[in-house]
């Protein structure tokens, strides 16, 4: 028993070492799934209902990625862009995950009002490479 406890503790320390929002999620407990590759951001729905929304995120790429949820009427490819930092500005920021390593998953919950949203990955350079997608809440 003692030995098992020590093993479990060691595993927990390793799992938590990166300080990321790494949490597995079940597809049936989220209202939206976002899959990230190098360098695309795909959703399993173009529209979700308003209210508390749990978004599951999977990084299927080889690079770290994050998810940033913006409520804005700006088109996904027209966000103000900071060329120096190679990052999009984040108008109407609603929610975000931390950077997920390759293979990582996360779930983030946000209360979404009806409107137009843009989902992006804002790791330096990735927005410009195409990691952006529209989402409608209605
Ligand atoms: Cu990315």
């Amino acid at each position: 028993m003692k030995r098992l406890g020590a093993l479990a503790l060691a595993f927990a320390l390793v799992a938590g070492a990166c300080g990321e929002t790494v949490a597995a999620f079940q597809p049936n407990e989220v209202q939206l799934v976002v899959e990230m590759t190098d360098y695309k951001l795909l959703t399993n729905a173009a529209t979700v209902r308003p209210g508390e929304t749990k978004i599951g995120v999977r990084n299927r790429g080889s690079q770290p990625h994050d998810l940033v949820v913006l409520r804005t009427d700006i088109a996904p490819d027209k966000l103000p862009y900071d060329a120096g930092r190679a990052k999009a500005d984040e108008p109407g920021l609603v929610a975000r995950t931390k950077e997920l390593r390759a293979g990582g998953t996360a779930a983030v919950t946000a209360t979404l009002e009806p409107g137009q949203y843009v989902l992006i990955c804002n790791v330096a350079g990735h927005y410009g490479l195409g990691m952006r997608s529209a989402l409608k809440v209605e």
Side-chain angles (χ1 to χ4, degrees):
M1 284 304 274
K2 241 181 186 172
R3 194 187 176 92
L4 263 181
L7 273 175
L9 179 62
F11 179 75
L13 288 173
V14 168
C18 297
E20 296 176 340
T21 321
V22 178
F25 62 88
Q26 298 299 318
N28 63 358
E29 69 178 17
V30 297
Q31 283 75 53
L32 185 71
V33 175
V34 177
E35 294 210 344
M36 297 182 154
T37 61
D38 315 331
Y39 298 90
K40 282 196 164 57
L41 188 158
L42 300 170
T43 61
N44 69 339
T47 303
V48 296
R49 297 214 167 268
E52 190 169 289
T53 305
K54 190 169 182 181
I55 304 170
V57 186
R58 286 196 190 100
N59 180 359
R60 293 200 186 281
S62 65
Q63 301 295 312
H65 296 295
D66 63 16
L67 175 70
V68 179
V69 180
L70 308 172
R71 184 182 177 194
T72 176
D73 290 328
I74 302 171
D77 62 347
K78 296 286 192 287
L79 291 178
Y81 188 72
D82 182 338
R85 295 168 61 231
K87 288 179 183 242
D89 293 345
E90 298 178 352
L93 178 64
V94 173
R96 72 182 317 137
T97 65
K98 294 184 177 172
E99 247 178 63
L100 299 180
R101 66 172 187 270
T105 62
V108 61
T109 300
T111 301
L112 301 183
E113 307 289 336
Q116 299 289 341
Y117 290 74
V118 173
L119 310 179
I120 66 171
C121 168
N122 218 5
V123 171
H126 292 194
Y127 172 78
L129 288 167
M131 295 197 70
R132 57 214 181 201
S133 185
L135 179 72
K136 189 172 190 179
V137 177
E138 69 174 359

